[in-house]
Amino acid sequence: KLVHPGLGDALVARFRSERQILASLNHPAIAKLFDGGTASDGRPYLATEFIDGEPITAFADRRRLGINARLALFLDVCEAVAYAHTRLVVHRDLKPSNVLATETDGETRVTLLDFGIAKLLDADEEDLTRTGRPVMTPAYAAPEQEADGTITTATDVYGLGVLLYEMMTG
């Protein structure tokens, strides 16, 4: 992931925050950060584990997974989110395209990615995701995101609920 040229300072700061957040997370169901820094042209970058998967909902549908198998996948996502919460990180953008599922040698794995609008709950600095307009995926945003309210771990719990609803009902 490489910052596009000409982005404002706030967006570059948000990108750097994402890199720091990913560096603080080490969980098998969260995409690993391999490297980060500044390219020769001065743009920040980060390199994460490549996940050759598909959105969790498409994965479950294509395989016609039953309720128990879908719940097992969902619980793996919950474990990753709970781990992030113990590190005081709220993802804020939980949606199928940010939760990829893969199957290798008969073993299914989910991976949570894209912490681009994640928030550190104990951060004293100004919220780096505030750019003058709401940053969210409206169909998955919690009410407090829509209202520009206080972000807590409940924000992700709401997103998990929407994800589970889609996994179970299509």
Side-chain angles (χ1 to χ4, degrees):
K1 196 172 187 181
L2 182 65
V3 170
H4 294 289
L7 287 181
D9 291 341
L11 292 175
V12 170
R14 182 176 348 132
F15 184 86
R16 287 193 171 115
S17 175
E18 176 183 8
R19 188 173 63 204
Q20 288 306 111
I21 287 170
L22 277 174
S24 74
L25 300 174
N26 183 20
H27 188 274
I30 296 176
K32 291 169 185 45
L33 176 69
F34 288 140
D35 193 16
T38 305
S40 59
D41 64 1
R43 296 184 293 159
Y45 72 88
L46 59 87
T48 64
E49 166 185 22
F50 175 74
I51 306 298
D52 188 17
E54 59 187 312
I56 191 169
T57 49
F59 180 91
D61 289 346
R62 194 166 59 76
R63 286 169 177 72
R64 298 176 191 243
L65 297 182
I67 291 173
N68 288 340
R70 288 171 190 259
L71 286 174
L73 284 177
F74 180 73
L75 287 175
D76 290 343
V77 178
C78 290
E79 286 180 18
V81 172
Y83 171 84
H85 289 174
T86 65
R87 303 307 186 270
L88 301 178
V89 173
V90 178
H91 188 279
R92 294 202 292 189
D93 199 21
L94 296 172
K95 58 186 178 184
S97 61
N98 284 341
V99 182
L100 298 185
T102 58
E103 187 173 14
T104 306
D105 299 326
E107 184 177 338
T108 302
R109 174 182 172 214
V110 297
T111 306
L112 180 58
L113 32 111
D114 194 354
F115 282 75
I117 66 169
K119 178 173 178 52
L120 285 171
L121 292 177
D122 69 345
D124 290 332
E125 74 272 1
E126 179 183 340
D127 184 354
L128 297 175
T129 62
R130 294 190 187 274
T131 60
R133 65 180 195 272
V135 179
M136 68 184 97
T137 305
Y140 298 91
E144 61 272 19
Q145 287 176 283
E146 295 276 354
D148 199 24
T150 302
I151 301 300
T152 68
T153 54
T155 303
D156 282 350
V157 172
Y158 182 92
L160 287 169
V162 176
L163 183 64
L164 177 62
Y165 177 79
E166 283 193 13
M167 288 180 71
M168 292 300 161
T169 66

